[in-house]
Amino acid sequence: MSSAYEAVIGLEVHVELGTRTKMFCGCPTDFGGEPNTKTCAVCTGQPGSLPVPNAAAIEAAISLGLALACEVAPRSQFHRKNYFYPDMPKNYQISQYDVPICADGHLDVAVDGTSRRIGITRVHMEEDTGKSLHVGGTGRIAGADHSLIDYNRAGIPLLEIVSEPDVRGPEEARAYLAELRGIVRALGISDAKLEEGSMRCDANVSVRRRGDEAFGTRVEVKNMNSLRSLQRAVAHEIERQGALLDAGEAVTQETRHWDEDAGRTSTLRAKEEVFDYRYFPDPDLVPVTPERADVERLAAALPELPAQMRARLTGGLGLSDEAAVTLVDAGLVVVLDEAVAAGAEPAAAAKWLANEVLSWCREADVDPAGVPLAGDALAELVDLVARGTLSTKLAREVLVGVLEGEGRPGEVAKARGLEQVSDEGELVTLVDEAIAADPAAAEKVRGGNDKAIGALVGAVMKASRGQANPQRVNELLRERLTS
Ligand code: ADP
Ligand code: MG
Ligand code: ZN
């Protein structure tokens, strides 16, 4: 695409709340179980049943709104959003419409060290749909033999966070979603897993000629299930629209589906217009009117948010910006704080987390935010390295053992036989053997060729299977050959 265009992007994010029960009934929200076993008259839309809003979900919505610097509406309402959807048993979704619970906030996101403020239009409450399972064919509805419906998810509380069209590129879209995910996780209101669908993001993308005021026609892109996938999908969509405009064609307003494997978007359906939904206030639900005192209590109870965490990590703990961003995004600050509290040097603990621990998580497909590593175990590992009991190389192996549940670092080092040999007697024997085995190298060192010592150190290290302390080996060799 020629740089004559500028991208305009607005993001709609859905977060599935981790409340114990559903939005309007007492059914459990926990994952799994036989289909259609976590349902009741309310969430399957039986005539005569009445919804009752979940107070914990309302509090979660207010907390998120406050964390995003929104105004909390003193009075908001639930509306019915009507459409035919086989996995919505009521044939409408309870959502919010003209007055959402929170509005007019903002979120600052940084790309390459430059921070930009993205407006938050609204945060509103709604309920999730059930799930359709298309049997036969490719698993999509076209070509399926029949479809099965599981209503366990129907009625699970959702928050929808809508941004202003302030995002200007794929990296910024990714940074926005990462930051929002960090805030949601810090609040503890959802596990916000993009890969598992407890956080979902739709991207509205348009392009316009640079310098133009008016927005171009927007396309809504769905089905991105990771940060990377959002970034790729947005980049692809900007390209596609730019190419259309370059060719003198128009962009069609529609909803497109991102295909992760093919790396492109395809038409899903024409975009619904708001009047298609026939919104009206739900007559079964009274307005939501939070007390001022409750809002103040929630504001006072806000935890440390990602931006504040990063500031503390780079300020007080002296970490680099990059390390702070990595640890905060990965949800590893709790482990870092515990390790530091247990006496670990912050930079050393941060380095282990950002490198070894994260790469282990990636390989083992474990969410770093739930990594099975206690902060004081990390502190012990850092200490074993600092004291020379473990070389960095051996400590990596010990860490893997700890992560695999084999015990504390000291125990793992013993059990796996990984402790550095610092028993002098044993080292002296190995050193003497190395000198005897390579008299030529020994002669060179005696003659003043300092570099020749490398071969002897290498031999000792090999003989000790990497467990000798190389510094001590070096010292012992020198004592023997140069004095
Ligand atoms: P809908 O509910 O139909 O998707 P909304 O008014 O809620 O419509 O807007 C959805 C998102 O689209 C918002 O994030 C908004 O910022 C974004 N948006 C609106 N117009 C444009 C545009 N021309 N280009 C890109 N994004 C846009
Ligand atoms: Mg939309
Ligand atoms: Zn129910």
Side-chain angles (χ1 to χ4, degrees), residues 420-435 460-461 463-464 466-477 480:
Q420 255 179 174
V421 180
S422 34
D423 171 353
E424 282 292 297
E426 215 173 309
L427 280 186
V428 167
T429 310
L430 291 175
V431 163
D432 288 341
E433 282 170 8
I435 292 172
V460 175
M461 292 308 293
S464 74
Q467 283 167 247
N469 178 339
Q471 212 173 325
R472 187 67 193 129
V473 170
N474 219 296
E475 286 164 9
L476 288 171
L477 282 165
R480 289 198 147 35

Side-chain angles (χ1 to χ4, degrees), residues 372-391:
L373 176 67
D376 57 349
L378 177 60
E380 186 181 325
L381 188 80
V382 170
D383 183 56
L384 289 172
V385 175
R387 281 194 289 122
T389 311
L390 286 178
S391 64

Side-chain angles (χ1 to χ4, degrees), residues 12 14 81 160 202 204 218 220 222 271-272 277:
E12 291 170 89
H14 285 91
K81 183 181 184 182
E160 177 169 346
D202 301 337
N204 293 271
R218 76 171 146 128
E220 184 172 316
K222 290 185 176 291
K271 177 87 186 96
E272 303 85 350
Y277 293 127

Side-chain angles (χ1 to χ4, degrees), residues 8-12 81 121-122 160-166 204-207 215-220 253 271-274 277 279:
V8 171
I9 302 154
L11 298 170
E12 291 170 89
K81 183 181 184 182
T121 315
R122 58 195 280 147
E160 177 169 346
I161 304 102
V162 181
S163 86
E164 289 290 297
D166 290 345
N204 293 271
V205 181
S206 66
V207 298
F215 290 157
T217 304
R218 76 171 146 128
V219 165
E220 184 172 316
Q253 177 161 344
K271 177 87 186 96
E272 303 85 350
E273 296 288 347
V274 70
Y277 293 127
Y279 276 100

